[in-house]
Amino acid sequence: MARSPGYLFIVLALLPVLASACHSADQDRAERRRTLAQQTCEDAVRDQLASRATAQFSSDSEHVYYDSTGGAGVTGVVSTTSGQRNLACVLKPATDSTWLLSAAQLLN
């Protein structure tokens, strides 16, 4: 099959667009996993609080860290009627869209 210069030009012109689309999809997937890790941790910590109904998790203070095996750690702050408390969770990947909670702890 002979290659057409026009065909090659079209393919080369589309490569950056395709790469950008793949990168955007990866970013969306990573953001969903990050959000799920935070929600999983918050749910587990909320179960440990006496004042669950008034617990306010500070999204500005929450951080998600990843390890080399695909696991995650979440740290943050939750405000309750008795004051602010630090929290930490350790999660393991179950699938691309779920986490297994290994540990959830209120630190103070």
Side-chain angles (χ1 to χ4, degrees):
M1 178 175 188
R3 289 189 181 155
S4 165
Y7 177 75
L8 182 60
F9 177 75
I10 291 170
V11 169
L12 291 175
L14 288 176
L15 283 177
V17 173
L18 294 173
S20 176
C22 291
H23 182 68
S24 178
D26 287 344
Q27 281 183 323
D28 290 345
R29 187 176 137 249
E31 184 57 33
R32 282 192 304 273
R33 283 185 56 79
R34 177 184 176 82
T35 300
L36 181 60
Q38 288 174 289
Q39 290 172 346
T40 302
C41 183
E42 288 178 6
D43 290 344
V45 168
R46 187 175 279 113
D47 289 342
Q48 298 177 20
L49 295 168
S51 55
R52 291 181 193 107
T54 60
Q56 296 291 322
F57 291 84
S58 171
S59 59
D60 292 340
S61 73
E62 286 187 354
H63 301 283
V64 179
Y65 306 92
Y66 300 99
D67 67 19
S68 61
T69 63
V74 179
T75 61
V77 174
V78 60
S79 297
T80 66
T81 53
S82 60
Q84 289 191 333
R85 299 188 68 180
N86 294 318
L87 60 99
C89 299
V90 177
L91 304 116
K92 294 179 182 177
T95 66
D96 279 349
S97 60
T98 59
W99 292 102
L100 292 175
L101 184 70
S102 297
Q105 188 71 39
L106 289 163
L107 301 176
N108 58 347

